[in-house]
Each structure stands twice: as structure tokens, then as C-alpha cells.
DNA sequence: CGGGTTTGGTGTAAAAAAAACAATAAGCTC
DNA sequence: GAGCTTATTGTTTTTTTTACACCAAACCCG
């Protein structure tokens, strides 16, 4: 094999850290591997990139095949390329994370086939390949991102209460519940940005005083950004 | 060709945006391509990744072959993988940026061969491949990074004046000279972090009052970080 | 050697932002 | 309607950020 040819004896894949928020906890969607290597181990959903496929498209495809969702928040994080990261050959992988609303998630045939399951971030065990490292890095990226861009809303239903939003932040930033963020200051700050609109409706089905529901106003946010505003929590 | 084989008809490269600071201006080191495609065009230094080489190692190699430097600041930024970004085949590239002290830079045989030259950021023209996009993204990353990590010092000599440091920030952040940052406030802020130590020596060879020289104290910085400090300008 | 030129170095006051802190209101259950 | 649970709201203090102007030190040149 010539030297030039050997450069082409390699492949690349994408791996997608799919975050969700449910039951007051940040979760990640993992699949249990059905084939070697690492058969039976939990792993990040991913796939080789098709020869005629852009990287972002591949990440979207992985997400859609597993969850049926399109057009959700997706961000490239980092590429992992240690020589021996894949036991069967030289495969570098481009890591992405996506943020989905758990309620939108429907099991697809692919997700049955691969036994997909949500795992609380704190309860993720040893994963296949270098996926623990990838998850860590994506988690750090999410923690930074959530503080200076309005991406937290991607994890909540369209309409949410301020308490839910605060719990989301406490969960992502790994702060003690109702201790990390001061309730009054949090509300003051988020409302002062003027990117939330109050819905007519109230929370329903709770055994206590129902809270107001809010929605994130994307248009207004983008307008503010154009005027120099920057989201910061 | 089987489908599996076709996955291996692809290669990956690294491209390195090498930043330097000289004459009060932020610069980037470019090479003029001697071969097709894009012969004669300026481009980012880069190379295919060897089959047994880690990505970071490849980026270090590219840097060393061009500048003779090792152990400098290097950070992976993003991977560019549009299907048609390379005219000769499917090549995805992992972009890095590095920060070097221009005074340490010595032309190596490779840099002669490739006609390497520093270009002011503001005067970079049309580059080969998607290198303008890569440069833009790396520039944005540097602008963010310089504000929340002490990486600016990587671009300055070991000993520097506070005015030089301020000019570096104004240049990287693209602020009007002596207008963007208030001199007194800048000095107050940077000195209050306690990560600069005053040298015995003074600036020499200037036709005006010489300034005190300072050094960045890495050990003290890391100690502070361990105690919860975070650099922020 | 003295006046001019150039950059170096310094403090304070006002404004804005962040942090600390606790009582009342509203709906539900029984 | 009594009791439980969560929702909602403002003020004070502290910290951080911004705005702003003059004297000092060295060199140059005549």
C-alpha cells in the first residue's frame, strides 16, 4: 500500500450527545450496543458519515433515526481522534450535542432495535469507546452554553413555569436544588431580559397554587441581539 | 467498491491558524501554495494526518515544521467537513489555532519552501479552500478565549509592559486603539487579579519615559484557579 | 542645560449590577 | 375552612463597573 493510499484507510463518524430534561433531572439518551465491539455496553448514538454527507447532516440523521425529530438544537463540540480510540481501525469522531424536549421524543424502530434509554447524567456508568470523555466534554460545553445563550428553553416544553426554568438551570449547572440560585434574583434577572412572554394559561393538574406559564420569544430575542444585547445568566 | 470500503475513501487533515502579535497588530501566519489546487493562493498551514498520529500531534507537527516551535499554546476549534470543501476528494479538516511569540519564530526550511509570511488579520485576502471561514471561526474563538483565560500572554514576550498588554487586547478584540479600553480601569483590573509580577527591569531603548516590565505568573494563576478564581476581562 | 515632546502612572466619585434576605397570596386536599 | 404546598413580590447592602484628568519621568533637540 502506498503512503498516499494509507491516508485513505480511515473513516470518520459522528457521535451525538442527546440531552433531555425530565423529572427535574438532566438526562442523556444512550443506546445499548447489540454488536461487537463493546457488545452490551451503553454508548452514545452515532454512525459513520456517508461519503456524500456533510458532518452536520450526519449528526441530524443519527438524531432523526433514533428519535424521529428534526430541526432541533444541534451543536458541534469537538473531534476525538486518538489513534487507538476505536479497536477496529482508525476512526475519528466528531462529537455533537443536541437538546430535545423529552415530551417530543417518540421511540422509532431504530430506537427499539438499539434499546435506547434515558439515563440521568449522574448515573451514567462506564460507556463504550471513549464515550465517557466525550460526554464529559459535551456536558462542560452545555454548562457554559446555557449561561450565555438561550438554549435552556430547547429542553423545556413550549410553555413552562419559572420554577421549571430555574430547576433546569440548577440541574444543568449541578447546583443544589433551591439553594444554588436565589428564586427572587433569578426571576428578576430572567424577566428583565424581556425575552419571556406570559401566557394566558396557568399550570394545571398540580395540587397547589398553579403557576403562570411563560414562553420564550425567539423573534424578540433575535431583535435584541441585533441591537447588541447578550444573554447572560 | 462495497459500501464499507467507500467509507474508507476519505482522509482527514489539520489546519492551523497561527496567531502572532507584532507592531501592535494581530497577525496570522499563512503560506503560499506551491501546488495545485489553489496554486499561488495563500492558505492556512496544514497537512493530512498520518495514519498513526493523533490529531493534536498532527497539529503540533504542522506548527513545528513551519516555525521550529514546540510546546506552544494550541487549541482545537472545530471540524469542517462539507462534502465539497476539497476539490480532490472527501477531506475533512480539524481546525486548530496556536498562539506564538513572534520573536521566537525562526524560519525553518519548510517555511522557506512554502513562502510563509505574516499577514495582518485585517489584510487577509481570499484564501484557498474554505480557509477564510476557518480563519473567521478561529478568530471568534480567540476573541472569546482571550477574555476568559490568560492566553493573551502567549502572544507577548516573557516580559511586557501594561500598555503592550492593553494594545494586545484592543487589537484582538478589534477595538479602536486607546479608545476601547480605559487605561486606568484596565490596569486596575488586570493588577487586581494578582497574576502579574513586576520585574526589576524597565523597558529600554524607547524615546520616552520607560515603563515597568511585568511577567505572567503561571503558578500563582493555577493556584488561584484551584481556589475558585476565574480570569475575566 | 532647559524647554518640548511623548508615554507612564495614578485615585475618586457616580452608576450599575449583583447578592442577601422573608412575608403574603393562591389554589388544592381533606 | 383549616392546613398544606408552591407562587409571587421589593428593598437594602455590597460589589463591580464606568467615567474622568493631571503630574511624572525619560529622551530629544536646539
Amino acid at each position: 500500500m502506498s503512503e498516499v493510499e494509507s491516508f485513505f484507510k480511515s473513516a470518520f463518524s459522528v457521535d451525538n450527545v442527546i440531552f433531555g430534561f425530565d423529572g427535574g433531572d438532566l438526562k442523556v439518551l444512550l443506546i445499548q450496543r447489540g454488536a461487537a465491539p463493546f457488545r452490551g455496553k451503553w454508548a452514545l448514538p452515532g454512525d459513520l458519515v456517508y461519503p456524500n454527507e456533510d458532518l452536520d447532516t450526519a449528526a441530524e440523521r443519527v438524531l432523526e433515526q433514533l428519535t424521529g425529530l428534526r430541526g432541533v438544537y444541534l451543536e458541534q463540540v469537538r473531534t476525538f481522534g486518538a489513534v487507538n480510540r476505536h479497536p477496529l481501525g482508525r476512526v475519528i469522531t466528531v462529537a455533537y450535542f443536541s437538546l430535545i424536549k423529552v415530551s417530543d421524543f417518540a421511540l422509532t424502530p431504530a430506537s427499539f432495535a438499539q434499546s435506547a434509554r434515558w439515563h440521568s447524567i449522574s448515573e451514567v456508568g462506564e460507556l463504550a469507546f471513549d464515550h465517557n470523555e466525550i460526554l464529559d466534554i459535551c456536558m462542560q460545553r452545555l454548562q457554559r452554553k446555557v449561561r450565555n445563550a438561550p438554549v435552556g428553553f430547547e429542553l423545556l416544553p413550549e410553555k413552562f413555569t419559572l420554577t421549571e426554568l430555574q430547576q433546569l438551570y440548577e440541574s444543568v449547572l449541578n447546583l443544589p436544588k433551591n439553594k444554588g440560585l436565589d428564586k427572587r434574583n433569578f426571576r428578576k434577572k430572567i424577566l428583565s431580559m424581556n425575552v419571556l412572554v406570559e401566557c394566558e394559561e396557568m399550570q394545571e393538574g398540580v395540587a397547589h397554587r398553579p403557576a403562570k406559564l411563560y414562553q420564550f420569544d425567539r423573534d424578540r430575542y433575535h431583535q435584541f441581539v441585533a441591537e447588541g444585547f447578550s444573554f447572560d445568566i
Side-chain angles (χ1 to χ4, degrees), chain A residues 40-218:
Chain A
K41 282 254 183 200
W42 291 97
L44 296 171
D47 197 8
L48 291 176
V49 178
Y50 294 156
N52 278 301
E53 189 179 40
D54 287 343
L55 294 175
D56 291 356
T57 310
E60 284 163 11
R61 174 173 56 81
V62 165
L63 181 77
E64 186 181 358
Q65 285 176 350
L66 192 63
T67 66
L69 298 175
R70 303 185 64 161
V72 307
Y73 187 85
L74 184 75
E75 175 173 328
Q76 191 195 111
V77 176
R78 187 188 289 185
T79 296
F80 295 79
V83 171
N84 293 314
R85 63 170 294 283
H86 196 297
L88 301 185
R90 184 75 199 272
V91 182
I92 71 173
T93 196
V94 184
Y96 285 77
F97 77 83
S98 33
L99 304 177
I100 75 173
K101 305 181 202 305
V102 169
S103 56
D104 289 350
F105 170 61
L107 282 172
T108 63
S111 36
F112 282 114
Q114 297 182 90
S115 1
R117 222 194 71 197
W118 290 106
H119 294 242
S120 282
I121 289 291
S122 56
E123 292 164 6
V124 170
E126 196 186 332
L127 302 178
F129 306 101
D130 50 0
H131 287 189
N132 285 100
E133 185 189 356
I134 295 178
L135 176 57
D136 281 354
I137 299 286
C138 287
M139 186 65 208
Q140 287 170 31
R141 174 71 70 97
L142 174 61
Q143 290 181 335
R144 208 174 40 248
K145 192 80 184 187
V146 87
R147 305 192 69 227
N148 40 273
V151 299
F153 307 111
E154 307 294 335
L155 291 164
L156 291 175
E158 212 45 47
K159 300 180 180 184
F160 50 85
T161 71
L162 294 183
T163 299
E164 286 166 351
L165 184 61
Q166 181 172 347
Q167 284 170 350
L168 168 67
Y169 273 91
E170 288 171 344
S171 176
V172 170
L173 300 176
N174 202 21
L175 304 171
K177 306 250 177 237
N178 299 317
K179 266 250 174 120
L181 296 171
D182 179 272
K183 188 161 45 160
R184 274 174 292 189
N185 292 338
F186 179 78
R187 294 161 96 97
K188 209 183 312 174
K189 192 160 188 174
I190 198 90
L191 289 177
S192 73
M193 293 185 191
N194 275 308
V195 296
L196 295 189
V197 295
E198 214 171 295
C199 305
E200 301 293 313
E201 308 153 62
M202 305 286 277
Q203 197 179 25
E204 279 177 20
V206 289
H208 55 79
R209 173 176 177 180
K212 287 184 204 161
L213 292 172
Y214 290 83
Q215 268 184 287
F216 174 58
D217 187 332
R218 277 182 178 67

